[in-house]
């Protein structure tokens, strides 16, 4: 790592070229722009696909392997998503990715069985193409001018992702027994394509021209250096990689419900549609945090609060009321953490410039790392200390990580004020 030099300053000036004025900023659009990938990734792949596979006689082991493969693009999309910075406007890439992804999904759903190699291949390519939506949204959010607008866009972005993912599960699960698989494919394609058309209402994006390959590569390197090759990038990178507010417990808490005396219907509501509403509401509540509070400080503070909610489950009586109270507060606060995490990503990113989508994809992909290792650690906590060990493991590890980084950012802020 090295400190930013004069060349970096010039790059920072270049990064501001395509920033639109405040009058053209419409942060609410990002709640709809993220819908295509939310429907496919959360609604289909991580939602109803396992149910559809079981309906077709596919075993649980084979189904789990397929779903695991189809989730891979969410962590590796930074390898191909930088393409959205070139050749045409990012909103056009968003529409193209949504339309082609839904077309392949329709073909996959018209196969005899979703577990065939052809269907799985089509679904995998569809998932890869749909990740262009994430990269395009990140690049477009990077062009937003005002900090308060960036915070609002982050909240709408996360709320839309959660809400449309839940909507996809609800619609497809409700219709699965009434319509053929092919018809479900057309319905899913509609849920993916229609919100993508709102890209035409996104903030105006000017395509940044370069005079040739050498000029383009020089510009890309200068922008990457401004973002990543500086001492200030280290704490932001740690914000992506540290274990706080990972949300790893979201998929694990339903497994603890029986220990607290809940029925299957109560679990389905609390961790299904009701849980999606809570997390979306938490994401929108993050807009109440004043823009003058730096994004890392707001995010890390909310992460400490989120960890504290798990103490209700870890220390409270094994009673349904304990589960309802703990999970309600956990899901609401994790929604706020998700929104503020995106705000940190945008602050780390800076302005989009020529490479905004690529840099956003790299930063955002780093944020998936804690989810993976915290699921492992939570499982170890459960295996060693039982039901209470799972929430307490995430609470303790998350609090330690958040407090360490929060201390650094608060200290840096006081030094800057001095």
């Amino acid at each position: 790592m090295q400190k930013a030099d004069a060349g970096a300053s010039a790059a920072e000036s270049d990064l501001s070229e395509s920033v639109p004025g405040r009058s053209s900023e419409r942060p609410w659009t990002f709640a709809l722009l993220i819908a295509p990938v939310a429907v496919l990734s959360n609604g289909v792949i991580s939602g109803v696909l396992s149910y559809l596979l079981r309906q077709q006689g596919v075993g649980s082991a084979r189904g789990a392997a397929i779903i695991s493969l189809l989730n891979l693009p969410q962590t590796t999309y930074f390898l191909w998503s930088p393409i959205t910075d070139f050749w045409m406007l990012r909103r056009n890439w968003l529409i193209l990715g949504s339309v082609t992804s839904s077309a392949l999904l329709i073909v996959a759903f018209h196969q005899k069985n979703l577990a065939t190699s052809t269907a799985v291949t089509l679904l995998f390519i569809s998932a890869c193409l749909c990740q262009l939506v994430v990269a395009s949204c990140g690049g477009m959010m990077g062009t937003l001018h005002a900090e308060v607008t960036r915070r609002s866009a982050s909240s709408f972005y996360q709320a839309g992702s959660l809400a449309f993912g839940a909507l996809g599960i609800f619609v497809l699960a409700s219709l699965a027994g009434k319509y053929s698989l092919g018809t479900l494919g057309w319905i899913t394609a509609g849920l993916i394509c229609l919100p993508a058309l709102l890209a035409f209402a996104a903030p105006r994006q000017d395509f940044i021209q370069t005079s040739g390959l050498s000029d383009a590569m020089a510009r890309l390197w200068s922008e990457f250096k401004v973002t990543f090759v500086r001492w200030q990038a280290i704490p932001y990178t740690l914000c992506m990689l540290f274990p706080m507010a990972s949300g790893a417990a979201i998929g694990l808490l339903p497994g603890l419900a029986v220990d607290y005396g809940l029925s299957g219907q109560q679990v389905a509501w609390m961790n299904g549609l009701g849980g999606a509403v809570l997390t979306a509401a938490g994401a929108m509540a993050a807009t109440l945090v004043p823009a003058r509070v730096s994004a890392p400080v707001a995010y890390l503070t909310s992460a400490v609060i989120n960890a504290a909610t798990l103490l209700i489950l870890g220390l409270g009586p094994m009673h349904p009321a304990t589960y309802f109270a703990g999970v309600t507060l956990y899901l609401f606060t994790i929604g706020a953490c998700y929104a503020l995490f995106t705000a940190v990503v945008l602050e780390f990113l800076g302005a989009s410039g020529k490479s905004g989508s690529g840099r956003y994809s790299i930063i955002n992909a780093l944020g998936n790392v804690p989810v993976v290792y915290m699921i492992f650690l939570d499982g170890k906590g459960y295996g060693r200390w039982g039901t209470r060990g799972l929430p307490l493991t995430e609470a303790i590890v998350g609090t330690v990580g958040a407090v360490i980084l929060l201390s650094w950012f608060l200290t840096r802020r006081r030094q800057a004020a001095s």
Side-chain angles (χ1 to χ4, degrees), residues 256-275:
L256 305 182
V258 64
D259 298 323
Y260 290 87
L262 270 70
S263 66
Q265 186 176 7
Q266 289 172 319
V267 175
W269 169 251
M270 190 71 226
N271 298 97
L273 187 60

Side-chain angles (χ1 to χ4, degrees), residues 79-330:
L79 296 174
W80 62 86
S81 59
I83 194 176
T84 54
D85 286 316
F86 299 93
W87 297 308
M88 59 183 177
L89 297 177
R90 293 180 179 113
R91 68 183 184 185
N92 295 341
W93 277 112
L94 188 150
I95 295 172
L96 179 63
S98 301
V99 172
T100 54
S101 175
S102 60
L104 291 174
L105 185 141
I106 291 173
V107 178
F109 270 60
H110 277 81
Q111 301 301 306
K112 291 183 179 180
N113 193 297
L114 287 173
T116 63
S117 57
T118 301
V120 172
T121 300
L122 290 169
L123 287 172
F124 183 81
I125 299 173
S126 176
C128 291
L129 290 170
C130 211
Q131 289 300 319
L132 298 179
V133 173
V134 180
S136 299
C137 282
M140 288 190 287
M141 284 192 291
T143 66
L144 298 177
H145 182 271
E147 179 61 25
V148 66
T149 310
R150 286 188 165 215
R151 296 286 183 90
S152 296
S154 300
S155 293
F156 279 110
Y157 173 88
Q158 290 292 349
S161 177
L162 297 163
F164 276 98
L167 176 65
I169 295 174
F170 177 77
V171 170
L172 297 175
S174 301
L175 300 179
K178 301 177 182 178
Y179 297 98
S180 67
L181 197 62
T183 302
L184 288 179
W186 284 103
I187 294 172
T188 307
L191 292 174
I192 291 173
C193 285
L194 292 178
L197 298 179
L198 265 293
F200 291 112
R204 182 175 178 271
Q205 308 281 309
D206 292 326
F207 186 73
I208 299 177
Q209 299 288 347
T210 54
S211 59
L213 179 61
S214 59
D215 179 54
M217 295 305 296
R219 186 182 188 106
L220 290 175
W221 168 242
S222 66
E223 292 179 3
F224 268 79
K225 187 166 63 171
V226 166
T227 300
F228 297 110
V229 189
R230 56 189 176 112
W231 289 114
Q232 292 85 349
I234 295 176
Y236 283 96
T237 303
L238 295 178
C239 274
M240 306 297 108
L241 297 176
F242 266 37
M244 61 278 172
S246 67
I250 292 178
L252 301 176
L253 290 177
L256 305 182
V258 64
D259 298 323
Y260 290 87
L262 270 70
S263 66
Q265 186 176 7
Q266 289 172 319
V267 175
W269 169 251
M270 190 71 226
N271 298 97
L273 187 60
V277 171
L278 284 169
T279 48
M284 293 308 303
T287 59
L288 300 176
V289 179
R292 65 177 179 271
V293 179
S294 72
V297 171
Y299 166 62
L300 295 167
T301 302
S302 66
V304 172
I305 297 173
N306 174 253
T309 64
L310 290 170
L311 297 178
I312 298 175
L313 294 170
L315 302 177
M318 305 290 284
H319 188 273
T322 303
Y323 187 88
F324 282 125
V327 174
T328 296
L329 292 173
Y330 176 78

Side-chain angles (χ1 to χ4, degrees), residues 45 49-69 113 115:
I45 296 174
L49 184 57
S50 61
Y51 173 72
L52 296 175
L53 289 170
R54 286 300 299 273
Q55 278 192 324
Q56 294 186 315
V58 180
S60 297
R62 170 66 173 161
I66 292 172
I67 293 172
S68 176
L69 174 65
N113 193 297

